[in-house]
Amino acid sequence: ISEQGYLILNYYRLGDCFLYLNNDSEALKYYNKALAVKPLAIPALQKLAKWHESKEQYSKAIEIIEKMKGIVDDEKADGLYKWLGDLYWKLGDKTNALDAFDNSLRIKPKQIEIYDRIEHISGGIANHFLAKIGILEKQYKDSRSPELAAKIVNLCIAKQDKEYANKALEFLP
């Protein structure tokens, strides 16, 4: 780790220490000091987003996570999407919550807890899948995009159901 890396690490660890001691203003101060050294330091951004979430400042936490999404490789962002989904859910924004959960599943399909969240939000996972697949099917008919076909196939496979497996076959060459 570089000298700058240690400085960032020490700042956000000090922030954690102050947070543990229930000194929110000092915790926030040190998280921000870490970000002043390196504005895109993922661990410091995570700590700051968690701090805002703990204060029920969900919109601010979402802003920070959106910034992190721009830094992290998409194939490693499933946790960020899951976190976003949870925050949107806390805000009562079911549409964005479902969209974030879908993105998390796109990256890492076998996340049982995400299916549980989707089922809770949508009133039934089958309804959610059917609605999502229906929307994508309409888009596919207009564009014949292989990317949309792949999304439909992934959704069908993630469901792990014979009916959906047969549906997936419709979109394979």
Side-chain angles (χ1 to χ4, degrees):
I1 297 178
S2 68
E3 188 175 319
Q4 182 187 46
Y6 279 115
L7 183 61
I8 294 166
L9 180 69
N10 289 331
Y11 278 148
Y12 79 72
R13 283 184 173 167
L14 272 169
D16 287 347
C17 182
F18 283 113
L19 190 63
Y20 178 77
L21 296 171
N22 293 317
N23 189 335
D24 290 337
S25 62
E26 286 296 305
L28 189 58
K29 173 179 148 184
Y30 282 99
Y31 293 148
N32 283 318
K33 278 187 173 227
L35 292 169
V37 174
K38 186 176 178 189
L40 301 178
I42 293 290
L45 287 168
Q46 287 174 316
K47 300 290 184 173
L48 189 58
K50 276 288 182 197
W51 185 89
H52 284 290
E53 181 181 14
S54 73
K55 303 301 171 209
E56 297 182 5
Q57 298 172 358
Y58 304 128
S59 295
K60 186 65 179 165
I62 288 168
E63 279 180 44
I64 295 166
I65 296 167
E66 289 291 346
K67 185 186 288 189
M68 286 190 289
K69 275 181 24 197
I71 302 166
V72 175
D73 292 333
D74 195 48
E75 66 269 4
K76 296 179 183 174
D78 59 289
L80 292 177
Y81 284 113
K82 184 164 83 173
W83 192 2
L84 276 174
D86 287 337
L87 291 169
Y88 280 120
W89 190 6
K90 289 175 182 178
L91 284 172
D93 184 345
K94 292 180 180 182
T95 302
N96 280 322
L98 288 171
D99 189 47
F101 290 142
D102 283 341
N103 280 320
S104 183
L105 289 172
R106 175 183 49 80
I107 297 165
K108 188 176 173 188
K110 293 187 178 184
Q111 299 180 75
I112 302 301
E113 72 280 4
I114 298 292
Y115 292 109
D116 291 341
R117 287 175 171 101
I118 290 171
E119 184 170 10
H120 185 78
I121 291 172
S122 68
I125 200 161
N127 293 336
H128 174 69
F129 271 99
L130 287 174
K132 186 74 171 177
I133 290 169
I135 291 167
L136 290 173
E137 279 182 301
K138 286 178 188 170
Q139 293 172 352
Y140 177 78
K141 285 177 185 173
D142 292 337
S143 70
R144 294 289 183 204
S145 161
E147 183 181 330
L148 285 174
K151 285 182 179 182
I152 294 168
V153 169
N154 285 339
L155 276 173
C156 291
I157 291 170
K159 180 68 173 121
Q160 296 183 349
D161 180 284
K162 185 178 178 181
E163 175 187 341
Y164 288 94
N166 288 332
K167 182 96 167 138
L169 292 173
E170 297 173 26
F171 297 91
L172 295 174

